[in-house]
Amino acid sequence: MNAVGLTRYLPIDDPDALLDLQIAEPGAPQGHDLLVRVQAVSVNPVDTKQRVPRAGDVSPPRILGFDASGIVEAVGAQVSAFAPGDEVYYAGDVTRPGSNAQLQWVDERIVGRKPTTLDFAEAAALPLTVLTAWELLFQRMPLHFDDRRHVGQTLLVIGGAGGVGSIAIQLARHAGFTVVATASRDASAEWCLRMGADHVVDHRQPLPAQLQALGIAQVEVALNLADTDHYWEVLGELLAPQGHVGLVVEPRAPLRIGDPYKAKCIGIHWEFMFARSRFQTADMIEQHRILSRVASLVDAGELRSTAHTSLGTINAQNLREAHRLLEGGGVTGKLVLSGWDD
């Protein structure tokens, strides 16, 4: 079958950084696994981090990729939620071969039915970012999606135009927050407003003065989706007593978790979407439930896909371009690829 993978960890401008390959099909699924025929993928910053240059050859070739949508070909004996022919979407498992292949095994407990109102590329844009944002907001933090108790509270999204930010804005608005997103370009600011942000401020400029100009003296919740170290001090200043900060990016240096974080009793919450599948937690099926709930919300018109740019079919050249764009920064929404070359 066709696949895209690597045999060495190289800079993305090297034509051998990602290669078109022919590899063996994975065979019949066992246990809770589905065998999925991949129709579309999207690319995330974690894909580029998995490919970061380092020494050593890789044998057999490593297949990257997480976000995918496709059609179930076969199911393992313990599968109960899906059947062959079902259209699905998922974000995969960091410990297993990735979605940049025509056929992939994936555990049904981290898979959801594809939204019927989206095509495969639009659906593939969602899983990793939906799971990250939902788990962070409504499972790591003590926040609530289904009622209006957050009306009157403000949530700040640093990196609002990125993949996670684009869906976090939508989820936070649904939960009743006034959402302030950060962006530095006109196009990315416009995207944040399209996703539902109430206000957009420039993260290259001091944040407190911009928020004060909007009549916002403090925020109850902040999601730092861009640079944990850079915004640590200012978020300690901006967050309300007993507020919450959500983090997804590893800090480059140890964080100073004293005042004002201690004095204000600010909750600090980490999210790593792969934790459940990596450690085979007892609640792995939560990701199936989240993706299925999101599919219903999308089909009801309450959430929208964050697909922004299609880069063509799934091949090495197009995936190298996706990695190059993400490593360069400034990507708005999600990059998607759909279909395979003959």
Side-chain angles (χ1 to χ4, degrees):
M1 65 176 178
N2 292 336
V4 177
L6 59 84
T7 58
R8 291 181 293 160
Y9 294 100
L10 299 168
I12 199 56
D13 56 0
D14 190 309
D16 291 334
L18 293 170
L19 300 169
D20 290 307
L21 303 169
Q22 286 288 312
I23 63 172
E25 294 186 1
Q30 306 294 319
H32 285 285
D33 276 352
L34 311 175
L35 179 64
V36 177
R37 184 166 294 277
V38 174
Q39 303 294 312
V41 301
S42 69
V43 186
N44 298 279
V46 66
D47 297 61
T48 71
K49 293 176 182 177
Q50 296 290 308
R51 204 215 71 256
V52 65
R54 55 188 181 271
D57 293 340
V58 182
S59 182
R62 183 175 181 186
I63 309 302
L64 300 179
F66 298 104
D67 274 333
S69 62
I71 301 170
V72 176
E73 290 266 312
V75 302
Q78 293 178 265
V79 169
S80 60
F82 299 99
D86 287 346
E87 296 183 351
V88 295
Y89 74 143
Y90 53 89
D93 179 342
V94 74
T95 70
R96 305 184 74 178
S99 60
N100 296 336
Q102 286 183 298
L103 290 167
Q104 181 185 15
W105 285 331
V106 61
D107 192 303
E108 67 165 338
R109 292 169 292 183
I110 59 173
V111 175
R113 69 167 184 86
K114 182 181 79 67
T116 59
T117 55
L118 300 183
D119 64 27
F120 284 105
E122 292 168 330
L126 287 172
L128 189 148
T129 54
V130 157
L131 289 168
T132 298
W134 189 291
E135 288 182 350
L136 183 54
L137 288 168
F138 308 123
Q139 295 186 339
R140 312 299 174 224
M141 294 182 176
L143 308 180
H144 306 272
F145 180 76
D146 288 314
D147 59 42
R148 304 296 289 174
R149 72 182 67 184
H150 304 301
V151 172
Q153 298 182 348
T154 300
L155 184 145
L156 174 65
V157 182
I158 295 176
V164 178
S166 297
I167 196 68
I169 289 169
Q170 298 182 62
L171 295 176
R173 273 296 301 273
H174 192 285
F177 284 97
T178 296
V179 179
V180 181
T182 76
S184 60
R185 297 174 290 114
D186 289 344
S188 55
E190 175 59 29
W191 176 262
C192 290
L193 294 172
R194 284 177 57 193
M195 292 297 104
D198 296 282
H199 309 285
V200 180
V201 296
D202 186 347
H203 50 244
R204 294 180 179 175
Q205 304 300 323
L207 295 178
Q210 294 180 84
L211 291 173
Q212 289 167 10
L214 297 171
I216 300 170
Q218 59 185 16
V219 301
E220 282 74 21
V221 181
L223 306 184
N224 185 351
L225 308 175
D227 187 330
T228 298
D229 303 76
H230 182 74
Y231 295 102
W232 186 250
E233 297 295 333
V234 71
L235 288 181
E237 174 187 344
L238 288 172
L239 279 159
Q242 301 185 85
H244 298 274
V245 59
L247 305 170
V248 299
V249 179
E250 312 86 80
R252 295 179 297 277
L255 298 175
R256 187 180 66 81
I257 312 180
D259 290 343
Y261 284 87
K262 178 183 177 182
K264 292 183 177 181
C265 289
I266 291 169
I268 301 166
H269 308 267
W270 281 103
E271 165 61 13
F272 183 57
M273 190 228 73
F274 297 112
R276 282 175 159 138
S277 56
R278 178 179 178 180
F279 296 104
Q280 295 285 296
T281 61
D283 65 349
M284 266 180 66
I285 200 168
E286 276 298 305
Q287 295 200 335
H288 164 73
R289 293 171 179 154
I290 293 167
L291 290 172
S292 298
R293 176 73 184 282
V294 166
S296 296
L297 290 166
V298 170
D299 289 340
E302 296 183 46
L303 295 176
R304 61 188 297 178
S305 174
T306 56
H308 182 274
T309 304
S310 174
L311 296 176
T313 55
I314 306 167
N315 61 36
Q317 179 179 343
N318 292 340
L319 279 166
R320 286 196 301 270
E321 175 64 6
H323 281 232
R324 186 190 67 79
L325 290 169
L326 283 168
E327 289 182 355
V331 170
T332 298
K334 291 297 294 292
L335 305 173
V336 297
L337 302 91
S338 183
W340 295 85
D341 298 329
D342 294 333

